[in-house]
Amino acid sequence: MTEQPAPENPEGDEPIKQRKNGLYPAVSDELAENMKSGWADTEQRDLRPIPQAEQTARRRAELSARFPGERLVIPAGNLRTRSNDTEYAFRASTEYAYLTGDQTQDGVLVLEPTASPDGQKGHDATLYLLPRSSRENGEFWLDGMGELWVGRRNSLAEAERLYGLPCADVRKLAEALAAATGPVRVVRGHDAGIEAALTDKVTAERDEELRVFISEQRLVKDEFEIGELQKAVDSTVRGFEDVVKVLDKAEATSERYIEGTFFLRARVEGNDIGYGSICAAGPHATTLHWVRNDGPVRSGELLLLDAGVETHTLYTADVTRTLPVNGRYTELQRKIYDAVYEAQEAGIAAVKPGAKYSEFHDAAQRVLAEKLVEWGLVEGPVERVLELGLQRRWTLHGTGHMLGMDVHDCAVARRETYVEGVLEPGMVLTVEPGLYFQADDLTVPEEYRGIGVRIEDDILVTEDGNRNLSDALPRTSADVEAWMAALKG
Ligand code: GLY
Ligand code: MN
Ligand code: MN
């Protein structure tokens, strides 16, 4: 153990910690010896497997069958520095969490190819994790990642019980991967150390095939996932109710009050928000990714709130409501809102098994184009508008996307399985048409400018149609007003 220079202020409140900068007192041999012992055995021997252990095993089996004879490496990712010695909150990679159920930083799932005597190819899966900190060598209290500082970790034996997988020490993994031979693929973008160890053995193209396969595995959700998505939506509904109850406080402060209110619900009931909440009041509603949330909230204007709670298992909701801040839509706001509602109804009606993925988008866009022509904002006929895509000046974005562990889920699935594919029971997608009139859009009458409306729900494709997971939130303008009145009391 290195002796360190005495700190300038040895009486300070800082706990003793071995650091390179020498700001902390040296550790005497007596103290080092003392810290080794006197600790209770806290091993948990009665842990039950996580509820989705069966599903994660099935997903690994699918992966194994797709890539026989190849070593597959799926990292959770590492902490990322925010500033100096503080880090961003860790969120495990979706691929790793999907295939293991674990969410530990630095974890790596490895599928090692095997061949049985009859030539049947398969894989042995191992979860590589940081084990509990050694007390013997002092790392548990002298190392920055020691459990005394960051909290108790699962022992490898505990992790085996939880995840139903053999577990091993991750600290030797990079070296072992660098020395190993045979074909290998890694999910890129999460763990630079692991990727560096494999750099001579992998190609971008082959690695991408692995990522695409896992993305496509996630297109159809199983019962566990649908239950988690419903939980995410239910918490999100409560978060929207929280926001309505504090709109007067938001008026007295800013959009940040709304962001903070929703965040409280997300952190108390879930893991986090699934994406940056869009708390867009007044003309900010026309900025699609308004996440600065630092503007005023004014009576007479609309609030577009697009937010979703992420569950502890990392499934997120993605819901939008556009609310009149004072509880009543103006005549023009209502006209635009009702048009978006009608488009959303048409979109939702097009969500059913066997329908092309593109159909719900086309159905919603048609309604919006009809309205824009009817209001004289664009010259008809509607067919011409749709053919040339002229409505897109005000509709701006696609009408929805797959939803799951990522808000824009399955993002690297191939076109033929996703945007040019066909809907199947178990898929979950958003239907979220909108109309946005920018504050500086000189092509629309002045009274339209600065109005943005989106309505977004989370829709499960069922055997005979669909189920709106977020239907606990009102959607028609009249129902929104009645709901707000009841919440505000
Ligand atoms: N909240 C992002 C989206 O609606 O797609
Ligand atoms: Mn969305
Ligand atoms: Mn959204």
Side-chain angles (χ1 to χ4, degrees), residues 234-286:
D234 292 346
S235 286
T236 299
V237 168
R238 289 188 280 276
F240 274 65
E241 290 168 353
D242 297 339
V243 166
V244 170
K245 289 181 192 160
V246 300
L247 278 177
D248 54 339
K249 294 203 174 71
E251 275 188 71
T253 53
S254 79
E255 293 162 338
R256 288 283 164 91
Y257 208 97
I258 294 161
E259 181 184 326
T261 300
F262 189 83
F263 186 61
L264 178 64
R265 180 65 69 172
R267 287 293 282 171
V268 168
E269 292 193 1
N271 176 56
D272 205 337
I273 46 175
Y275 54 93
S277 300
I278 298 169
C279 308
H284 290 156
T286 67

Side-chain angles (χ1 to χ4, degrees), residues 43-49 127 129-132 152-169:
E43 178 75 11
Q44 298 181 69
R45 294 175 178 84
D46 55 355
L47 287 175
R48 312 294 313 155
L127 197 50
L129 297 167
L130 199 55
R132 296 209 55 203
R152 189 191 186 284
R153 289 188 275 276
N154 290 321
S155 70
L156 297 183
E158 287 169 344
E160 287 185 354
R161 286 176 206 121
L162 285 170
Y163 305 115
L165 279 170
C167 294
D169 189 339

